[in-house]
Amino acid sequence: MHAAVAAGQQPTPRPAIDVLSYGFQIVLPDTGFGVAAQAVVVFRRALDSPDTLALDLVGLTVDSVGSHGADRATGYARLSYTYDGSRLRIALPPRESDASENVSVFYHGTPQDGLIIRADARGRRSAFGDNWPERARGWLPTVDSPADKAEVLWLVSAPRDWRVVANGRLARQGRSPDGRSWWAYEEHRPVPTYTMVIGAAPFAVSRRRPLVSAGDTVPIEVWAYPEDSAWADSVPFRRVTEIVETLQRLVGPFPYEKLAHVEAVTRYGGMENSAAIFYAEQEYVARRMGEGVVRHETAHQWFGDAVTERDFHDLWLSEGFATYLDLVVGAALDGDSVLTRGMRDEARHYMDAREADRPVIDPSVIRLTELLDANSYNKGAWVLHMLRGLLGDSTFWRGIRDYYRRYRDSSVASADFQRVMERASGRALGWFFTQWLRQPGYPQLDVAWRAESAGRVALEVRQLQPDAWGRYAIPAVPVEFRRDGRVVGRRTFDLRPQVAPQVVSLALDGAPDAVVVDPEGTLLITARVRP
Ligand SMILES: [Zn+2]
């Protein structure tokens, strides 16, 4: 462990029970809202682990629970369980080896959350999963935590004119004798439960130019309601393949076997479900959706989905990355001003937000939806932007690629990211991560300047932000000196985290008549400059 790692950031011990895969079989109704389902949960447990498997499942009826191979004579044996309406506790037989085990849960009912069955924005019946943060348990018996990722297999029976999309690759598809359609999807990469979804509606599907990734061909598809399909293809999803290619070049191989962009019922503007991204239908109907949300959600496939925050309080590892990469990809496709202008907007949004008074990582937050704030998104993006400025482009991107390679398909804490970036740069970065993630706010500088004799300019720098925000260190704050509107010199100074005013003396040819701190807006600071 690195000395700079703050308390409370110890790696979580391996769980006693580790889910390896879920297989969900679901029958979607022709009318009404009830579903019938079976879940097969494959898991491994540690030697000294408890003899109970506890699954989250809210408000449904459990019909029976059993296990294949638990009793070798019969092959399938019923298991006893208790269910209190939110936790299903299954009594496991004695652990005989370190082989994986399984349980099957048969259940039914009307999901109150997680699976939304209703008329879509075009007035047709549809069914959509919408799980973030802990709503998978409203329809799927799971260890509903981003710390326990698992493979997911889907077998969905749907009304005859529906098409079904889900995580993973479409493995099989057919029609049963009664005319209903069925769809089998397989996601063989472990993904978080909050991204395990299906979408079922009378979709129009358009296949886009596929991605070529490490010799494989990754299908890219746009699923939309028939009325919205042509618009979706030509406006927000016009450059879907270019976006994935750009991210792949910056970060590493696309993590999944296909990518579907899906018009959906979701309470979020977009939801980064692994390999099947959902976007809010209202934005299509109003013809309001742009490419930004597509870049953001696509970036989540790498960060959030493939590399997942182990604890939601580290949400910036997901949202900060997606917010930043949205702008970085935008800049790669359309020019640097996308990033420059975008970061200025992120700064303004963050500085205007009430939550600037709280740190990015704030374990005191209990309601997880409160984490969807200017800290996780806007300040999170700035943390990455300033880290890139500190380390330089090539070191920064080498670190990002290494972080993805190392932690793809697993769950991480902020300390893991710090460690990788320290290794990439050969520098201790505890001070950087501590001040930007665990201190609230940002530096508010007051800079008084005066021309000294012999071609020197003195700056007297004060940090005026509230004491509760703490003091900040910035090794190279850029300063520009101007005379008659022309730049006559550029210097940097080392901002020290001290309470007393800091006096900096800089050599300069000729006396300036104006001084600008951070002229390009590369830092999350405000600076009031006065002579
Ligand atoms: Zn996001």
Side-chain angles (χ1 to χ4, degrees):
M1 166 161 302
H2 195 272
V5 174
Q9 276 284 298
Q10 323 292 333
T12 310
R14 267 192 84 73
I17 291 183
D18 177 20
V19 176
L20 304 176
S21 75
Y22 296 99
F24 299 117
Q25 241 184 82
I26 296 192
V27 179
L28 297 173
D30 284 299
T31 58
F33 308 97
V35 298
Q38 178 194 356
V40 179
V41 183
V42 178
F43 59 96
R44 191 165 276 146
R45 53 177 157 156
L47 249 181
D48 52 352
S49 69
D51 52 6
T52 303
L53 173 64
L55 298 174
D56 301 296
L57 181 68
V58 174
L60 297 173
T61 302
V62 175
D63 302 309
S64 76
V65 176
S67 175
H68 287 280
D71 177 342
R72 298 233 160 80
T74 60
Y76 184 79
R78 292 283 187 108
L79 297 176
S80 61
Y81 62 91
T82 61
Y83 180 51
D84 62 5
S86 65
R87 293 277 263 183
L88 172 62
R89 292 171 203 280
I90 302 166
L92 299 172
R95 183 180 177 281
E96 288 175 353
S97 71
D98 57 5
S100 63
E101 302 167 78
N102 65 81
V103 298
S104 292
V105 179
F106 293 84
Y107 62 105
H108 72 275
T110 299
Q112 298 305 303
D113 201 359
L115 182 66
I116 319 297
I117 302 175
R118 67 165 212 213
D120 64 34
R122 296 296 183 181
R124 300 184 195 93
R125 265 173 70 80
S126 63
F128 288 98
D130 194 29
N131 293 356
W132 201 91
E134 293 178 328
R135 292 152 62 225
R137 63 189 66 179
W139 60 300
L140 305 170
T142 47
V143 175
D144 195 10
S145 157
D148 192 355
K149 297 167 77 172
E151 297 178 30
V152 60
L153 314 177
W154 296 100
L155 181 58
V156 181
S157 165
R160 61 167 61 224
D161 58 343
W162 286 11
R163 288 175 161 184
V164 177
V165 66
N167 318 102
R169 186 178 64 87
L170 177 62
R172 289 177 312 285
Q173 175 199 345
R175 208 164 273 285
S176 31
D178 61 4
R180 291 171 61 85
S181 67
W182 60 263
W183 306 71
Y185 282 88
E186 298 182 357
E187 178 52 74
H188 288 294
R189 297 275 184 174
V191 299
T193 50
Y194 72 78
T195 72
M196 291 180 184
V197 294
I198 59 170
F203 286 112
V205 182
S206 95
R207 292 177 215 311
R208 308 301 299 275
R209 179 166 66 80
L211 175 76
V212 176
S213 175
D216 290 331
T217 301
V218 178
I220 298 180
E221 302 160 353
V222 175
W223 294 56
Y225 308 157
E227 297 87 341
D228 302 325
S229 174
W231 174 82
D233 261 338
S234 59
V235 182
F237 300 106
R238 186 170 59 89
R239 300 193 289 187
V240 275
T241 309
E242 289 88 333
I243 291 169
V244 182
E245 286 168 344
T246 305
L247 282 159
Q248 190 163 257
R249 188 164 46 73
L250 289 168
V251 179
F254 178 74
Y256 304 113
E257 291 161 299
K258 75 120 201 296
L259 178 59
H261 296 279
V262 184
E263 180 172 5
V265 174
T266 164
R267 59 168 74 161
Y268 309 105
M271 180 57 219
E272 64 269 23
N273 304 310
S274 306
I277 301 171
F278 285 11
Y279 301 88
E281 55 182 6
Q282 318 78 274
E283 304 298 303
Y284 292 65
V285 173
R287 300 291 189 254
R288 199 162 43 195
M289 193 172 153
E291 195 182 71
V293 65
V294 179
R295 299 193 304 246
H296 176 106
E297 304 305 335
T298 305
H300 268 309
Q301 300 294 303
W302 284 260
F303 298 111
D305 296 0
V307 182
T308 304
E309 65 286 356
R310 187 182 296 134
D311 178 321
F312 281 119
H313 294 95
D314 275 323
L315 190 65
W316 84 278
L317 291 173
S318 176
E319 298 303 349
F321 276 65
T323 303
Y324 189 53
L325 288 171
D326 157 12
L327 298 174
V328 170
V329 171
L333 295 176
D334 294 326
D336 289 345
S337 67
V338 177
L339 181 62
T340 320
R341 244 197 335 256
M343 292 312 292
R344 206 177 303 140
D345 291 344
E346 305 298 346
R348 198 173 307 127
H349 188 100
Y350 164 71
M351 288 176 180
D352 287 347
R354 269 185 311 140
E355 54 266 25
D357 270 332
R358 294 194 288 101
V360 170
I361 300 174
D362 184 356
S364 74
V365 173
I366 309 276
R367 280 171 49 96
L368 296 177
T369 48
E370 283 176 22
L371 296 169
L372 300 173
D373 67 4
N375 278 315
S376 301
Y377 288 76
N378 314 84
K379 190 178 185 182
W382 264 100
V383 172
L384 292 173
H385 191 52
M386 289 188 289
L387 184 62
R388 180 178 169 189
L390 180 70
L391 303 183
D393 270 10
S394 76
T395 302
F396 175 79
W397 289 111
R398 194 172 65 241
I400 294 288
R401 281 192 289 272
D402 190 35
Y403 172 62
Y404 175 64
R405 192 166 44 236
R406 252 169 224 277
Y407 292 110
R408 179 177 173 178
D409 300 329
S410 61
S411 300
V412 293
S414 294
D416 297 314
F417 178 57
Q418 178 185 327
R419 210 159 24 239
V420 171
M421 298 313 281
E422 288 182 333
R423 204 176 297 126
S425 63
R427 293 165 71 166
L429 297 170
W431 63 273
F432 177 90
F433 284 96
T434 300
Q435 76 179 11
W436 289 113
L437 296 177
R438 294 176 192 280
Q439 282 177 218
Y442 54 93
Q444 297 177 334
L445 305 185
D446 174 88
V447 180
W449 67 274
R450 61 176 192 279
E452 288 183 319
S453 56
R456 294 193 81 82
V457 172
L459 307 179
E460 190 172 292
V461 184
R462 289 180 174 77
Q463 298 198 27
L464 293 186
Q465 68 271 18
D467 287 342
W469 290 6
R471 305 294 127 188
Y472 281 78
I474 300 177
V477 179
V479 189
E480 195 171 272
F481 298 92
R482 296 176 186 165
R483 181 169 192 84
D484 300 327
R486 282 188 23 254
V487 177
V488 294
R490 287 168 154 278
R491 300 287 184 274
T492 62
F493 73 89
D494 178 9
L495 182 72
R496 303 270 167 78
Q498 61 191 36
V499 177
Q502 182 185 345
V503 180
V504 183
S505 176
L506 299 169
L508 211 65
D509 306 326
D513 60 17
V515 175
V516 184
V517 174
D518 191 23
E520 271 89 35
T522 58
L523 299 169
L524 186 62
I525 63 171
T526 58
R528 191 180 67 190
V529 182
R530 56 198 171 86

